[in-house]
Amino acid sequence: ILCRGMPTSIDDGSRRAFEGATSMSLLDSDFSSYGSNLALAVDVVEQGKNYVVCDFKITLKKTTMSSPIDANGVFKEIIANSFGETRFIKSYIRLLKISSAAFQHI
């Protein structure tokens, strides 16, 4: 995730806030159509100035998709599309800023 204004390092509390805000924002986007059948966890695996590399763990309780490969493609597309939408980005940045002082300059 490219984030202009992202600090070069963040403490554990800010990292957890980032992971939670990212998960909540995505679950509120196109993932919302899956309702309670979907769980999404976000883990920061690398972070530097203006970027964060995340591991997205998605669990489906019930699925109508024919294979895990189908699900993988669908979820990658949803994540990419979400970060390409102005409305999503504005909402996401707003949530990041209220979740930790470390993100005030994003």
Side-chain angles (χ1 to χ4, degrees), residues 74-94:
V74 167
F75 296 137
K76 281 182 179 180
E77 186 175 327
I78 290 173
I79 291 168
N81 289 344
S82 292
F83 282 102
E85 293 177 1
T86 302
R87 180 192 56 76
F88 173 84
I89 292 169
K90 285 181 179 181
S91 173
Y92 177 59
I93 290 172
R94 189 171 33 251

Side-chain angles (χ1 to χ4, degrees), residues 55-73:
D55 180 23
F56 297 94
K57 294 178 180 118
I58 300 166
T59 305
L60 279 172
K61 296 176 185 171
K62 299 176 187 173
T63 182
T64 58
M65 295 183 190
S66 60
S67 73
I69 294 169
D70 290 344
N72 189 41

Side-chain angles (χ1 to χ4, degrees), residues 5-81:
M6 182 67 131
T8 53
S9 65
I10 52 177
D11 62 26
D12 284 344
S14 294
R15 180 186 48 79
R16 284 190 297 276
F18 183 89
E19 292 167 345
T22 303
S23 179
M24 287 189 307
S25 293
L26 286 169
L27 285 170
D28 202 32
S29 69
D30 290 342
F31 281 110
S32 63
S33 63
Y34 292 92
S36 62
N37 288 328
L38 179 93
L40 172 64
V42 178
D43 293 315
V44 171
V45 289
E46 183 181 333
Q47 190 260 326
K49 185 172 174 60
N50 297 327
Y51 77 92
V52 178
V53 177
C54 297
D55 180 23
F56 297 94
K57 294 178 180 118
I58 300 166
T59 305
L60 279 172
K61 296 176 185 171
K62 299 176 187 173
T63 182
T64 58
M65 295 183 190
S66 60
S67 73
I69 294 169
D70 290 344
N72 189 41
V74 167
F75 296 137
K76 281 182 179 180
E77 186 175 327
I78 290 173
I79 291 168
N81 289 344

